[in-house]
Every structure is written in structure tokens, then in C-alpha cells.
Amino acid sequence: MLEKDFFIKTEKQPDMENDALLLGGVKFSSRLLTGTGKFSSRKLIAPMLEKSGSKMITIALRRVDPDAEQENILNYIPGSVTLLPNTSGARTAEEAVRIARIAREAGCGKFIKIEVINDMHYLLPDNNETVKASEILAKDGFIVLPYVMPDIMTARQLYDAGAAAVMPLGSPIGTNRGLEMKPIIKIIIEKSKLPVIVDAGIGRPSHAAEAMEMGADAVLVNTAIATSKDPVLAGEAFGLAVKAGRMAYLALMAEKKDYAAASSPLTGFLRE
Amino acid sequence: MEINLNGKKIQSRSKTIMELVLERDLNPGSLIAELNYKIIKQENWEKTAIKHGDNIELLSFVQGG
């Protein structure tokens, strides 16, 4: 029979129960943010949210096309999940501000993902315009989540601008290439006073886990889940990966070393 | 009269936003309307008059990341 002591927990147990993500004073039980883009069927969104545990999901605003079928994406998102309207389509700070205000007036709450893109080839965000829009919208009472090229100065400027987080891209949108910007994101995590949410380019659960292990506060995954063969299962996989990565971070995983270090004693039996 | 709808000049006989939405064969349910850069709540569409030269945007939330 095992001694009672065997079950005594180590002194510093990561407190996963109270490990909520805090954005603009709002708590989220999941560190996985998701997006509604690219799902072949909108009906997959709710079960994906349930299985992944994600409590925040992006939506976009567009002019109606009288010739296309009218969708109301809001009907496919459970009320318990926070909406994160994005400003996609904006090429300037001014346009982003306008979209944000429309979204809020339309009843989408205070969260806004600022996305200002005028590089239509690689779809890389314009950090200058994003900082400008962040400042205006934060002053206007929004909880601002800005999507940016990983850059230390930008992260600092966003803090000064009143943003609620900084969302550096891992690699270009929709590429599924993972954390190509890892070294810079690592510095942002180390230096930023804002929560860091890695957005864009995360193509596999292992990428998400890698970001979380490194100390990212959350990740945002859309394409990888939505375009997988089974988005509900993929959502669950990402949910687990984010949790595993977070636990590993909280457990203070040992650093990599350049040389081998034995995990069993090397001496004391066949030779000295 | 001519109005600017979603960035395009169109001819319309509608006198209110609601009439315009129905004239364009749109379902009001999921729409957001902006008249000259100001959001008009759906409950006010029937009483919000539109006139020649107005800039109107009809928007909706869609899937997006």
C-alpha cells in the first residue's frame, strides 16, 4: 500500500481553475479564441465552440450583396460566447474606427479586433494605422485587440494607446505555417505589459501548444479549424493543445540544453 | 431620385429606409443601415426619410476571422 505522503501535491501547483484569461477586465475560461471565417457550414460553428471550449469568436462586417444569400452569422453563435467583430476590409485607421463603431452600435459589445491591411498580396497588417485606430477606439471605451506584425515598439505603443492586448501574427494569415516569427514573439511576451495573443498562421495544435508553452496568454485560430476535414474535432484538438501548452508554461518546463544531461546516474554499477 | 447605396449610384423611388430595403429585395432581419455615416436603428427605418443624394450603406455581419 502506498504511503499517504505519496499523494501530497508539490508545493506550487499550477492553479488551472483560477487561470482565466483577462482581457479588458473580462474573464474568459478558455485561452483559445476562434474565428467564424471559412467554415463550409455555419452549423459547425456552435459544436466547434462547445468542443473547443472557446469563449470568444470573430465575425466580420460587410456590405450586403443583394444577389447573394443573406446570412446572419449571429444566429449561429451561442449567447455564452463573446463576439469579437473585426475591422477586416479597413485599409486605414479611419476605416477601422468606422467599422468598430458600426459593430458596437449594431449590438456587438465592446470588443473589437483591429485589423488594418493594405498589403493585398501577403495580407500583412499596417502597424502604424493599427496603433492610431487603437488609441481612438480605446479612448472611446472599446476593449481593443489589435492584430499586428510582431514588433517590440508597436507592442509598447499599443500599451500607451490603451489596447487590451497585443496580437502578433505567427505567420501570414491562412498559411498554417506556425510560429515563423517566434523569436520576436518571444521578446514581446517577455517585454509586453499587455496580454499577448498569437493570431494568424497557427496551422496545427502543436503550433498552438508551442505558443502557449512559450508564455503567450492566448491564441486565435480560425483557418486551421474551419478548413480541416472535421472542424469540431479540430476545435477540440486545439482546445486541448492550448490547455496543455498553458499547463506546461505554468509548470515551468525545463529549458533546452546544447549538451546531453543524463536522466539516470551514469556511475556506480559496472564501472566507477 | 439618385442615391448612393453601398458605394454605387442607384435610382430609387423609396421614401424611407424600410422601403429601400424592401425595394432591393432584402430581408431586414439581419441588416444594419447607415444613413450619411450615421447608424439608423431598425425600429426607426419606417420613419427615416431618404432623399436625393443620400449616402446609404446596408451592411450585415458575416463569417470572418
Side-chain angles (χ1 to χ4, degrees):
Chain A
M1 206 168 100
L2 288 165
E3 294 288 333
K4 258 190 183 170
D5 279 0
F6 186 82
F7 295 105
I8 286 179
K9 288 179 176 175
T10 53
E11 229 171 84
K12 203 181 161 198
Q13 273 290 310
D15 187 358
M16 290 297 288
E17 293 300 310
N18 294 312
D19 186 44
L21 171 67
L22 202 60
L23 295 172
V26 184
K27 276 186 181 178
F28 295 92
S29 60
S30 170
R31 291 174 178 271
L32 172 64
L33 281 62
T34 47
T36 56
K38 300 183 188 173
F39 280 86
S40 59
S41 163
R42 281 159 257 158
K43 288 184 183 141
L44 292 168
I45 294 171
M48 180 283 292
L49 286 166
E50 196 196 329
K51 286 291 182 183
S52 69
S54 175
K55 295 290 179 214
M56 185 182 251
I57 193 160
T58 61
I59 50 173
L61 187 69
R62 284 292 176 278
R63 283 172 166 162
V64 289
D65 174 2
D67 300 326
E69 178 213 357
Q70 269 182 277
E71 58 165 336
N72 186 2
I73 186 64
L74 304 184
N75 292 340
Y76 296 86
I77 302 171
S80 58
V81 175
T82 300
L83 297 172
L84 179 58
N86 68 31
T87 66
S88 64
R91 297 187 182 198
T92 63
E94 200 182 18
E95 289 173 359
V97 167
R98 185 170 165 218
I99 295 172
R101 287 180 176 154
I102 292 172
R104 185 170 63 181
E105 288 206 44
C108 276
K110 292 203 299 187
F111 282 93
I112 189 77
K113 170 180 166 178
I114 302 185
E115 191 176 326
V116 182
I117 294 175
N118 40 53
D119 156 27
M120 299 327 282
H121 189 61
Y122 289 105
L123 302 178
L124 297 173
D126 182 327
N127 284 6
N128 276 334
E129 292 296 309
T130 304
V131 171
K132 274 190 231 165
S134 298
E135 189 167 4
I136 296 166
L137 291 171
K139 277 194 186 132
D140 198 8
F142 281 89
I143 300 173
V144 174
L145 309 182
Y147 167 64
V148 291
M149 272 301 282
D151 178 72
I152 314 299
M153 287 307 125
T154 301
R156 184 190 288 173
Q157 287 159 359
L158 287 172
Y159 174 77
D160 292 338
V166 51
M167 302 211 290
L169 60 90
S171 48
I173 284 181
T175 59
N176 295 322
R177 296 205 302 249
L179 304 181
E180 289 184 340
M181 304 300 290
K182 188 173 180 179
I184 310 290
I185 293 174
K186 204 169 179 182
I187 301 174
I188 296 176
I189 290 170
E190 185 194 324
K191 295 284 184 190
S192 173
K193 291 178 190 161
L194 294 174
V196 178
I197 303 170
V198 179
D199 183 1
I202 292 180
R204 294 173 184 281
S206 55
H207 299 152
E210 191 182 4
M212 296 306 295
E213 274 175 33
M214 201 163 79
D217 293 275
V219 297
L220 197 160
V221 182
N222 184 359
T223 300
I225 293 174
T227 64
S228 66
K229 260 192 193 164
D230 184 341
V232 178
L233 190 60
E236 189 173 6
F238 272 99
L240 290 169
V242 166
K243 263 190 206 160
R246 180 64 182 176
M247 279 180 174
Y249 170 72
L250 292 175
L252 304 170
M253 297 298 286
E255 281 296 313
K256 276 187 190 168
K257 288 176 185 162
D258 287 337
Y259 296 99
S263 45
S264 306
L266 291 176
T267 54
F269 176 34
L270 299 176
R271 55 189 64 79
E272 285 305 309
Chain B
M1 65 174 179
E2 190 179 83
I3 56 168
N4 209 343
L5 175 64
N6 286 0
K8 280 185 196 148
K9 287 197 163 65
I10 62 150
Q11 295 296 324
S12 171
R13 292 177 178 189
S14 302
K15 295 185 187 71
T16 65
I17 292 187
M18 185 58 101
E19 282 181 23
L20 176 70
V21 168
L22 299 176
E23 182 192 83
R24 308 311 288 181
D25 232 352
L26 294 168
N27 169 16
S30 58
L31 285 189
I32 299 156
E34 213 192 33
L35 172 62
N36 299 326
Y37 301 98
K38 200 171 167 267
I39 293 219
I40 308 293
K41 289 210 159 64
Q42 210 166 109
E43 64 213 49
N44 297 323
W45 285 4
E46 282 182 11
K47 53 187 178 195
T48 303
I50 54 178
K51 56 180 194 310
H52 181 82
D54 273 346
N55 192 60
I56 297 157
E57 295 276 357
L58 294 176
L59 312 162
S60 68
F61 285 107
V62 297
Q63 289 177 248

